[in-house]
Amino acid sequence: QIRQFSNVPILILTAMTDDEDKLRGFERGADDYLTKPFNLQELKARIKALLRRAAPSADALSAGGIVTIGHITVDFNRRQAFRSGVPADLATKEFDLLAAFIRKPGVIFTREDLMREVWLNNSEDSDAAIAAADIRTVDVHIRRLREKIELDPANPQRIMTRWKIGYYFEA
């Protein structure tokens, strides 16, 4: 059922060791299968491998391709985003924010980082410009972006807040 709406990696962790059980798990959409007893280091390695494969590829991002993460699809060539297949009418800076997050999933951006990356295009004079800017504009744009791409903006699943630090994208 998960595969009907998501490509999230699925690892089955079970005591069922029969080959038929393993095949049934893969046929139903599992990406990996690990039987008990298991080595904790192996489990961690398998999880990291699954997450690595699930992250948007650098090739897709650099080529301006289409990236889908859960219910969010981004077409970098057309600068369009979709929530569950429905176009999300993003303003220019909202799209730039989403693109910055998707290019670096899991990386925590401070407000200053986002100002530099999205508003100032990493210019050399960015520190002086940030000092003169209203840094809270980042919060307003994040709120608006969440309203447009999150399924439940009050409980975001993708654009996350790290309290007193900044924001990050949960892939």
Side-chain angles (χ1 to χ4, degrees):
Q1 290 175 336
I2 292 171
R3 288 288 175 243
Q4 293 173 3
F5 62 87
S6 177
N7 287 326
V8 66
I10 298 173
L11 180 137
I12 294 177
L13 182 59
T14 181
M16 301 172 81
T17 59
D18 187 50
D19 287 341
E20 291 298 317
D21 294 321
K22 291 178 186 178
L23 290 173
R24 194 171 18 259
F26 286 118
E27 287 170 356
R28 291 186 177 163
D31 296 299
D32 202 353
Y33 196 99
L34 188 60
T35 59
K36 297 179 191 177
F38 59 89
N39 177 299
L40 189 57
Q41 295 303 96
E42 180 183 1
L43 174 62
K44 287 179 182 179
R46 286 175 182 261
I47 291 171
K48 285 181 183 177
L50 286 170
L51 292 174
R52 224 180 8 256
R53 286 194 301 270
S57 72
D59 292 340
L61 295 175
S62 65
I66 297 173
V67 175
T68 299
I69 301 171
H71 66 277
I72 301 168
T73 300
V74 178
D75 183 338
F76 285 90
N77 285 331
R78 295 190 174 137
R79 293 184 56 84
Q80 289 182 316
F82 301 85
R83 178 178 67 183
S84 301
V86 177
D89 187 24
L90 300 184
T92 301
K93 294 301 180 193
E94 293 166 350
F95 183 88
D96 293 343
L97 274 171
L98 181 59
F101 283 130
I102 288 177
R103 285 187 177 105
K104 298 178 183 176
V107 172
I108 299 173
F109 291 91
T110 64
R111 288 180 186 92
E112 292 82 4
D113 293 337
L114 291 169
M115 286 293 288
R116 251 183 229 97
E117 184 136 343
V118 173
W119 277 265
L120 304 172
N121 297 318
N122 293 311
S123 73
E124 305 232 348
D125 305 335
S126 62
D127 289 336
I130 288 172
D134 182 3
I135 203 78
R136 292 294 178 182
T137 193
V138 173
D139 299 332
V140 172
H141 280 76
I142 293 287
R143 180 182 51 80
R144 289 182 182 154
L145 179 59
R146 282 178 173 157
E147 288 171 357
K148 293 178 181 180
I149 66 160
E150 292 283 358
L151 296 175
D152 180 5
N155 298 299
Q157 300 299 308
R158 297 294 174 200
I159 297 179
M160 309 301 289
T161 302
R162 180 61 54 107
W163 195 62
K164 290 197 174 191
I165 299 174
Y167 300 99
Y168 66 99
F169 188 80
E170 185 71 47

